[in-house]
Amino acid sequence: MKKHRWCYPLLLAGITFSCAILADADPLKQNDIDTFLDANLSSAEIAEAIRKQGYEGAKDDDTLKHFRDKGADTTVIGAISQAGKISAANDELSKSAAALCEFLQNNRAQLAKDQTGSRLIWTDTILVEVADSPPPEPLAALLQEASSNDGKLVAWVNDSFEKQLKTWHPAKKNPHPTRQGTDEIVTEKNGSHCFVNPIYLSYILARYPKANIQMKTPTDPVLFTISGKVCAVLAPWTKLPDGTPLL
């Protein structure tokens, strides 16, 4: 088995095992799980290793039965099953971040960033993201070059959106947009709608899959919130890139 960067000692003769894992360790394979089970590690330790390091081995019914036969309980099996969903979500986020980064570079977007406590705010004037952690690469590297806004961007987001959040209304993404080449946001109450650039929306929904969507009018920014806090603001399209009006 390929050696991983675990904190030792790991001996099969009863010495305790520490599951401290470095972030750059390789994803786990089937034989890694077999080794952990043979070492009589607790299900909590194995599940934590899977969550932190990922799992890229087989997950078919025969493989899961094999793990159960070796003593894996529902905690371990659940972590293995969930690993694939997390990996797929991470792949989608990486793809959407790369697409957005390319779009910003191609359009020579002027970026600005600001900081409020541990939260990073950045914008290209179309999207505003209010994040608890840096965005994924290559977007994070692009933002390194963005100019600092010295608190002005923080104040603008707070005054313009967070303090006025109650004036926006619950909305959702229309899975069948009425205009080709767009994504469409529709309010749940009266069906009022607006169109947005799919590149931006794909990134926001991949980054914040549990965000609530809030809309006001067809020309006001769309808000994305989590637990009552704004995590993204997206300006709507009033016309397509070829100049076709949308209003």
Side-chain angles (χ1 to χ4, degrees):
M1 181 183 74
K2 182 176 180 179
K3 183 178 179 180
H4 297 283
R5 299 184 180 184
W6 301 89
C7 287
Y8 288 97
L10 168 58
L11 297 176
L12 300 183
I15 298 179
T16 58
F17 176 84
S18 174
C19 276
I21 307 164
L22 296 184
D24 59 350
D26 296 329
L28 300 171
K29 307 294 184 184
Q30 179 178 342
N31 59 340
D32 297 315
I33 306 300
D34 284 340
T35 299
F36 300 157
L37 292 169
D38 289 339
N40 294 320
L41 301 183
S42 72
S43 59
E45 286 179 312
I46 299 175
E48 181 69 7
I50 294 169
R51 282 191 288 268
K52 288 186 176 180
Q53 205 165 327
Y55 174 76
E56 291 185 349
K59 291 185 288 184
D60 56 86
D61 290 342
D62 288 342
T63 303
L64 295 181
K65 181 180 183 301
H66 164 78
F67 289 145
R68 290 190 185 96
D69 291 343
K70 290 180 70 71
D73 62 10
T74 55
T75 299
V76 173
I77 298 300
I80 292 171
S81 300
Q82 186 67 19
K85 298 177 183 178
I86 294 172
S87 177
N90 288 340
D91 287 346
E92 183 62 30
L93 178 56
S94 295
K95 290 177 183 178
S96 62
L100 177 57
C101 185
E102 181 179 9
F103 178 83
L104 296 175
Q105 290 176 312
N106 289 343
N107 288 276
R108 299 184 179 182
Q110 297 296 311
L111 305 179
K113 62 186 177 184
D114 212 341
Q115 196 89 21
T116 172
S118 61
R119 305 182 83 192
L120 168 70
I121 300 180
W122 72 272
T123 184
D124 69 333
T125 73
I126 304 298
L127 166 68
V128 179
E129 182 179 6
V130 185
D132 291 324
S133 60
E137 298 292 355
L139 198 53
L142 186 65
L143 290 179
Q144 291 293 326
E145 304 173 6
S147 60
S148 178
N149 212 244
D150 299 324
K152 296 178 182 178
L153 186 55
V154 171
W156 178 73
V157 169
N158 186 50
D159 293 340
S160 301
F161 304 114
E162 293 189 327
K163 287 184 178 179
Q164 302 183 45
L165 190 56
K166 292 182 178 180
T167 63
W168 269 258
H169 310 291
K172 60 185 177 181
K173 176 185 176 183
N174 181 3
H176 307 290
T178 57
R179 298 297 293 268
Q180 186 176 4
T182 72
D183 273 338
E184 187 175 16
I185 304 298
V186 182
T187 58
E188 297 177 358
K189 186 175 182 180
N190 58 18
S192 179
H193 65 108
C194 68
F195 299 98
V196 296
N197 187 328
I199 294 175
Y200 288 99
L201 187 60
S202 294
Y203 169 73
I204 294 170
L205 296 183
R207 179 96 151 123
Y208 305 102
K210 295 183 179 180
N212 296 307
I213 303 176
Q214 308 280 334
M215 183 186 156
K216 196 172 187 181
T217 73
T219 56
D220 279 302
V222 179
L223 305 186
F224 300 82
T225 65
I226 295 177
S227 300
K229 293 185 177 181
V230 174
C231 58
V233 179
L234 180 60
W237 261 349
T238 57
K239 61 182 179 180
L240 293 173
D242 64 5
T244 303
L246 290 170
L247 298 178

